[in-house]
């Protein structure tokens, strides 16, 4: 007969049932159960599934909560499916019907009487033109182009439409159409914003040169700035040898660049450039007085406003 009291055995039974007691404890519990009917009955009840007993209203309550739980699960699953379905419909409409705003596009603007004709094409070949919208920010109107994915191969990347002449400035892909119908090109706006008061500001000089694309069009060059006495000047020493066939074109191009540099760098009085051709070094130069003779007005006046700068660029065919 076990020497351990029933109270202690009954305290150990939950651990014994869950197999959490040691081997020594197991032997004591099992020996006690062999000789004690009361403790054995308690142990046997612990090992059985709980029976539904008690008040008659308890069973319907449990079943009710089970039904509620099942309904909730179905409701959640239905809601998730509905959200996914609606999201898919929205995405399909957005990308195949309505379209999304696109930044990559070419556009040409023609102002005729009271109408602005906009013609262009999307750059991204994955999209076709969907629609356009006019937004207003900071007192200016801005054209927003929308592109969509082609449905069943339909659609065109090109677009053409007419807009009315607005009382505010209209921005089209960086271009500005002023209320008086003046068109300011994107490059013109960028150049005017890069205007530099001092020839000695190398980084500012570099921005203007990069916007004009001097190195890209004429080749690599070294810069020499003369800032000790007037007239202050900028010399371009082109490193790549020029060919006879393109010498005239390059000199004409560089002369146009010189006009713009003189207009935008306020204290710059002269632009020089040198290049190698067939073993010989050639030099050219343009000064403010030369330009005034050609333009019949001071070159610096073309740097006073963005509208004047646009006039100069158009006169130069740029």
């Amino acid at each position: 007969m076990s020497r351990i009291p029933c109270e202690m055995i009954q305290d150990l039974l939950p651990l014994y049932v869950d197999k959490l007691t040691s081997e020594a404890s197991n032997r004591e519990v099992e020996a006690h159960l062999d000789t004690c009917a009361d403790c054995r009955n308690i142990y046997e009840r612990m090992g059985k599934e709980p029976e539904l007993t008690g008040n008659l209203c308890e069973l319907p309550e449990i079943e009710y909560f089970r039904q509620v739980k099942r309904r909730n699960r179905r409701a959640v699953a239905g809601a998730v499916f509905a959200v996914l379905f609606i999201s898919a419909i929205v995405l399909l409409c957005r990308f195949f019907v309505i379209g999304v705003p696109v930044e990559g596009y070419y556009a040409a603007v023609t102002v005729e009487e009271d109408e602005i004709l906009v013609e262009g094409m999307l750059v991204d070949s994955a999209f076709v033109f969907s629609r356009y919208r006019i937004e207003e920010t900071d007192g200016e109107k801005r054209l927003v182009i929308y592109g969509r994915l082609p449905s069943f191969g339909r659609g065109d990347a090109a677009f053409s439409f007419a807009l009315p002449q607005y009382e505010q400035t209209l921005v089209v892909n960086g271009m500005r159409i002023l209320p008086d119908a003046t068109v300011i090109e994107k490059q013109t706006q960028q150049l005017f914003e890069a205007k530099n008061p001092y020839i000695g500001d190398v980084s500012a000089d570099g921005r203007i040169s990069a916007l004009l694309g001097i190195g890209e069009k004429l080749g690599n060059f070294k810069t020499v700035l003369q800032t000790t006495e007037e007239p202050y000047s900028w010399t371009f020493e082109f490193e790549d040898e020029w060919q006879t066939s393109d010498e005239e074109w390059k000199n004409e191009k560089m002369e146009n660049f010189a006009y713009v540099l003189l207009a935008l760098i306020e204290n710059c009085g002269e632009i020089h450039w040198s290049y190698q051709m067939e073993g010989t070094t050639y030099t050219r130069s343009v000064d403010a007085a030369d330009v005034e003779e050609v333009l019949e007005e001071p070159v610096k006046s073309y740097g006073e406003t963005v509208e004047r700068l646009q006039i100069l660029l158009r006169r130069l065919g740029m």
Side-chain angles (χ1 to χ4, degrees), residues 241-253:
E241 184 163 326
W242 288 13
Q243 303 299 317
T244 306
S245 57
D246 58 18
E247 179 191 16
E248 183 178 351
W249 175 84
K250 286 189 172 183
N251 276 318
E252 182 180 339
K253 204 75 177 173

Side-chain angles (χ1 to χ4, degrees), residues 14-72:
L15 298 175
Y16 176 75
V17 170
D18 290 335
K19 296 181 173 56
L20 298 176
T21 50
S22 66
E23 291 183 6
S25 297
N26 290 344
R27 286 194 296 270
E28 292 293 336
V29 170
E30 290 166 0
H32 186 92
L33 294 177
D34 287 340
T35 59
C36 179
D38 290 339
C39 289
R40 187 166 54 252
N41 289 334
I42 294 172
Y43 167 68
E44 289 173 353
R45 288 200 300 271
M46 285 183 177
K48 294 179 180 178
E49 290 293 328
E51 297 179 0
L52 295 175
T53 60
N55 195 311
L56 292 176
C57 67
E58 290 180 14
L59 183 58
E61 263 186 36
I62 293 172
E63 184 59 29
Y64 169 75
F65 285 119
R66 285 177 177 170
Q67 291 175 1
V68 169
K69 190 174 181 180
R70 285 195 293 269
R71 284 199 298 268
N72 287 343

Side-chain angles (χ1 to χ4, degrees), residues 80-315:
V80 170
F81 176 78
V83 168
L84 292 175
F85 180 76
I86 293 171
S87 298
I89 294 296
V90 169
L91 287 174
L92 287 173
C93 289
R94 181 172 174 80
F95 284 97
F96 286 93
V97 180
I98 300 172
V100 295
V102 295
E103 297 293 335
Y105 66 90
Y106 299 110
V109 173
T110 306
V111 181
E112 298 177 351
E113 298 179 357
D114 295 331
E115 191 174 74
I116 301 171
L117 179 63
V118 181
E119 298 175 294
M121 179 174 290
L122 303 186
V123 174
D124 191 341
S125 58
F127 284 95
V128 296
F129 174 71
S130 173
R131 62 193 178 95
Y132 70 87
R133 180 181 175 185
I134 302 296
E135 297 180 349
E136 187 165 343
T137 55
D138 300 327
E140 293 183 332
K141 291 187 178 295
R142 187 170 73 94
L143 174 68
V144 181
I145 296 293
Y146 285 76
R148 62 173 176 82
L149 295 173
S151 53
F152 306 105
R154 297 177 183 174
D156 194 343
F159 54 85
S160 177
F161 50 85
L163 299 173
Q165 182 70 46
Y166 298 104
E167 294 182 359
Q168 302 106 309
T169 296
L170 173 66
V171 181
V172 179
N173 198 27
M175 289 181 289
R176 281 177 160 74
I177 298 89
L178 306 184
D180 65 358
T182 301
V183 178
I184 306 298
E185 301 288 345
K186 182 177 181 179
Q187 183 194 36
T188 307
Q189 186 68 39
Q190 292 174 329
L191 282 168
F192 186 75
E193 291 170 359
K195 185 178 174 181
N196 175 21
Y198 305 111
I199 186 68
D201 189 337
V202 178
S203 61
D205 296 339
R207 281 196 297 274
I208 298 175
S209 171
L211 286 169
L212 288 171
I214 296 177
E216 179 185 349
K217 294 180 176 69
L218 302 182
N220 298 325
F221 60 85
K222 292 180 181 177
T223 288
V224 178
L225 300 177
Q226 196 287 107
T227 60
T228 55
E229 60 182 17
E230 295 190 28
Y232 304 124
S233 66
W234 184 350
T235 300
F236 294 78
E237 297 179 351
F238 291 99
E239 299 174 323
D240 302 328
E241 184 163 326
W242 288 13
Q243 303 299 317
T244 306
S245 57
D246 58 18
E247 179 191 16
E248 183 178 351
W249 175 84
K250 286 189 172 183
N251 276 318
E252 182 180 339
K253 204 75 177 173
M254 187 60 212
E255 186 172 323
N256 289 341
F257 290 147
Y259 280 37
V260 179
L261 292 170
L262 289 170
L264 292 177
I265 304 175
E266 294 179 21
N267 73 339
C268 181
E270 295 178 345
I271 299 294
H272 308 279
W273 65 96
S274 64
Y275 57 93
Q276 297 284 329
M277 193 173 64
E278 297 180 349
T280 303
T281 300
Y282 296 88
T283 60
R284 296 287 185 92
S285 64
V286 171
D287 60 35
D290 295 333
V291 179
E292 186 170 348
E293 264 186 51
V294 175
L295 300 177
E296 297 180 348
E297 53 188 324
V299 67
K300 300 297 181 184
S301 68
Y302 286 96
E304 292 174 355
T305 64
V306 67
E307 292 87 352
R308 291 282 293 162
L309 180 60
Q310 184 67 76
I311 292 171
L312 174 62
L313 293 177
R314 285 189 178 147
R315 287 189 64 175

